[in-house]
Amino acid sequence: MSVLAKPFKPKFSKFDYFIIGLTYVFFPLALIIAAFRILPTQQHHSFRGRNARLIGWVLFGTYIMTSLIISLGSETSEEFLNGNLAMALCLLVPAMLLLVAADLADKKFRKLLRIYAEAVLQRRLIYIDHIAIVANQTQAHVIRDLNFMIKERMLPSGRIENDVLMITSLHRESVEPAETQQDIGSKSVECSGCGARTVISHQEEKECEYCGTIIVA
């Protein structure tokens, strides 16, 4: 299987870090912003692991803050433990599951990227429907993923037009120039039999095409 020129490394944006930080200031707003942040990008394979990881860390921060609030409002240790257990089940467990799911999503996407790289770089597939069959993905997903790979320089520079992947450096046809000059050392020799002239190379013997006489340069 083909090796990517640049490996896929998911990372948070500055806005993602802002959302996580906001969790420790006002977690209800952070949860709302995080939801709006992931909804438009969830259909992209490249964002799925990152989105799950973002929600996981926001839920973890929410658990920390709610535990702090419960500890301040609880009159007995029993109330604190019961409230903290409820928050752990509602927030901490889903957060851990989402962080695990994020790693699995990234691993799955890395495997998919290697399939794309093999299809494009080794098998030289250019039609989106053919690549979709190889990758077992919809054409819409293939287009998004290939555009992501081109943008992140995992594939050579190119573009997709009319469901065809155009990468000039991979699909350029080499054309050899035609010979326009005679070989060095060739000359025109007159046939001793009929007088016709024939082009012949140095030290070459050639039969005259008119009378059959052997001509020697």
Side-chain angles (χ1 to χ4, degrees):
M1 189 169 289
S2 181
V3 178
L4 293 173
K6 180 181 178 182
F8 171 66
K9 294 182 179 180
K11 57 183 179 180
F12 284 141
S13 66
K14 292 181 179 179
F15 186 56
D16 293 336
Y17 284 116
F18 168 77
I19 295 174
I20 295 173
L22 182 62
T23 304
Y24 297 92
V25 178
F26 190 54
F27 63 84
L29 180 60
L31 286 168
I32 295 173
I33 295 176
F36 278 103
R37 202 318 253 119
I38 69 172
L39 285 177
T41 59
Q42 188 59 23
Q43 60 183 340
H44 296 258
H45 288 142
S46 58
F47 276 89
R48 288 182 179 177
R50 173 178 158 187
N51 289 346
R53 191 171 290 107
L54 173 62
I55 296 297
W57 283 115
V58 170
L59 289 180
F60 179 79
T62 302
Y63 166 74
I64 297 296
M65 298 308 297
T66 53
S67 295
L68 180 60
I69 294 172
I70 291 173
S71 66
L72 294 176
S74 299
E75 296 181 355
T76 64
S77 59
E78 184 178 356
E79 288 182 2
F80 170 73
L81 291 176
N82 290 336
N84 195 43
L85 178 60
M87 289 300 100
L89 293 175
C90 294
L91 298 173
L92 186 59
V93 172
M96 297 297 103
L97 292 176
L98 283 170
L99 292 176
V100 172
D103 289 337
L104 294 177
D106 289 339
K107 183 178 180 180
K108 182 178 179 180
F109 186 51
R110 288 190 186 96
K111 182 179 179 181
L112 182 59
L113 291 177
R114 289 193 292 269
I115 294 175
Y116 286 136
E118 181 181 10
V120 174
L121 300 177
Q122 294 185 7
R123 300 177 62 178
R124 293 294 197 269
L125 299 181
I126 62 173
Y127 295 104
I128 298 300
D129 55 344
H130 294 174
I131 300 174
I133 293 173
V134 172
N136 194 26
Q137 300 291 326
T138 65
Q139 294 188 34
H141 273 132
V142 171
I143 292 174
R144 281 193 291 265
D145 293 340
L146 291 179
N147 281 328
F148 170 81
M149 295 179 73
I150 293 172
K151 178 182 177 182
E152 295 297 323
R153 298 182 179 179
M154 297 177 184
L155 288 176
S157 179
R159 64 188 185 279
I160 297 175
E161 291 184 0
N162 299 321
D163 292 335
V164 178
L165 178 62
M166 310 291 290
I167 299 181
T168 306
S169 60
L170 291 179
H171 307 292
R172 182 188 297 116
E173 295 182 359
S174 58
V175 179
E176 296 183 358
E179 293 291 334
T180 58
Q181 297 180 348
Q182 294 180 350
D183 293 338
I184 298 176
S186 61
K187 60 181 179 179
S188 178
V189 179
E190 183 178 336
C191 176
S192 59
C194 64
R197 303 194 69 84
T198 302
V199 176
I200 189 172
S201 300
H202 180 60
Q203 295 183 345
E204 179 187 4
E205 293 184 358
K206 189 174 184 180
E207 183 178 333
C208 177
E209 59 183 0
Y210 298 102
C211 66
T213 302
I214 300 299
I215 303 173
V216 180

